[in-house]
Amino acid sequence: MANLRGVGQNLQDHVLLSGVVYSYKRRMPDRPADSDGVEAEVYLSSGVDSDPVDIALVLEQFPIATPDAAARFGSPPKDGFTIAPALTQPTSRGQVRLASANWRDAPVIDPRYLSTDRDLNAIMKAIEIARELGRQSAFDQIRDAEVIPSPQASPQDIVDLAKTASASFGHAVGTAKIGRDADAVVDNRLRVHGLRGLRVADASVAPSIISGPGTNAVAYMIGGRAAEFIKAEM
């Protein structure tokens, strides 16, 4: 065993906000069987600081809202679509920790989404851009009306939407980061500090999150490098 204070710390994840929802003028067309329901994505800067790519917009072919957002703003219509803002360079840091000494107990995951003013301001800017996009004439033939949050949404409504509609984008990294500082968990060959014969080979070793959604590609690369390191020592 090794007592490494960085284990479970430095949790980072993209935040997906579900979402800015529009009612469709007619019945939504059926999606092809091989469709994931995402028409397009765009990556851009929120402008809250110098980061060139810290937010994204995801155009989804279905209406979607978190339970908390639906309770606050009303359930989305059956025939609708979503422009989902996302935060891709969060400054908030969460943690994963043991719930007890019993390994059968699920760990406690505290992502701490939007826990910095910078992150909240960035996702609110992304909401603003999503709503601006949804108002464009290119959508006139399919867009009936903005349903969530609503054309009359107040500044407080936007804050409430940011806080009730934000959830994981499924791209968590960072809880066993590479490095040599006091919070590092593995070295540059993925070996756990202070232990022999143990490596970590997944996205948790990434010290910081990438802007794109391809953290799976990062995990493939890390796994490939781990295999190379292990073979080199055989």
Side-chain angles (χ1 to χ4, degrees), residues 34-122:
D34 60 351
S35 169
D36 62 2
V38 175
E39 284 280 1
E41 298 183 15
V42 59
Y43 291 81
L44 63 160
S45 173
S46 69
V48 300
D49 56 23
S50 60
D51 197 312
V53 184
D54 65 328
I55 59 173
L57 303 179
V58 183
L59 179 58
E60 300 171 334
Q61 297 173 308
F62 43 80
I64 183 170
T66 64
D68 287 344
R72 170 65 175 78
F73 295 95
S75 298
K78 178 181 178 181
D79 291 305
F81 64 94
T82 306
I83 301 177
L87 178 65
T88 62
Q89 278 296 304
T91 56
S92 303
R93 297 292 183 267
Q95 66 172 350
V96 179
R97 60 181 175 82
L98 296 177
S100 72
N102 186 343
W103 63 268
R104 294 180 177 86
D105 292 338
V108 176
I109 303 174
D110 180 10
R112 296 177 183 167
Y113 295 137
L114 308 183
S115 59
T116 66
D117 290 340
R118 189 261 176 218
D119 286 358
L120 180 59
N121 290 335

Side-chain angles (χ1 to χ4, degrees), residues 1-213:
M1 294 185 294
N3 185 15
L4 300 175
R5 74 180 195 184
V7 173
Q9 303 301 309
N10 193 46
L11 175 62
Q12 301 162 56
D13 192 5
H14 294 156
V15 178
L16 182 66
L17 189 143
S18 300
V20 177
V21 182
Y22 298 86
S23 56
Y24 197 73
K25 278 192 171 180
R26 296 168 295 277
R27 181 180 179 276
M28 281 291 288
D30 293 332
R31 296 192 304 273
D34 60 351
S35 169
D36 62 2
V38 175
E39 284 280 1
E41 298 183 15
V42 59
Y43 291 81
L44 63 160
S45 173
S46 69
V48 300
D49 56 23
S50 60
D51 197 312
V53 184
D54 65 328
I55 59 173
L57 303 179
V58 183
L59 179 58
E60 300 171 334
Q61 297 173 308
F62 43 80
I64 183 170
T66 64
D68 287 344
R72 170 65 175 78
F73 295 95
S75 298
K78 178 181 178 181
D79 291 305
F81 64 94
T82 306
I83 301 177
L87 178 65
T88 62
Q89 278 296 304
T91 56
S92 303
R93 297 292 183 267
Q95 66 172 350
V96 179
R97 60 181 175 82
L98 296 177
S100 72
N102 186 343
W103 63 268
R104 294 180 177 86
D105 292 338
V108 176
I109 303 174
D110 180 10
R112 296 177 183 167
Y113 295 137
L114 308 183
S115 59
T116 66
D117 290 340
R118 189 261 176 218
D119 286 358
L120 180 59
N121 290 335
I123 199 69
M124 289 176 62
K125 182 63 176 179
I127 294 171
E128 177 185 329
I129 296 171
R131 298 179 74 208
E132 180 183 359
L133 176 61
R135 291 192 295 266
Q136 298 305 305
S137 59
F139 287 97
D140 286 351
Q141 298 302 310
I142 63 170
R143 183 236 309 113
D144 183 25
E146 178 186 301
V147 179
I148 300 176
S150 88
Q152 293 77 37
S154 67
Q156 185 58 52
D157 289 334
I158 303 305
V159 173
D160 291 347
L161 180 63
K163 292 183 176 181
T164 60
S166 293
S168 174
F169 208 161
H171 301 152
V173 305
T175 53
K177 74 172 187 174
I178 291 176
R180 291 186 291 182
D181 61 89
D183 292 318
V185 177
V186 300
D187 65 16
N188 63 359
R189 297 181 73 83
L190 306 179
R191 297 171 295 201
V192 176
H193 291 300
L195 295 176
R196 294 180 59 188
L198 180 62
R199 284 181 163 92
V200 178
D202 58 34
S204 67
V205 305
S208 58
I209 197 166
I210 63 172
S211 293

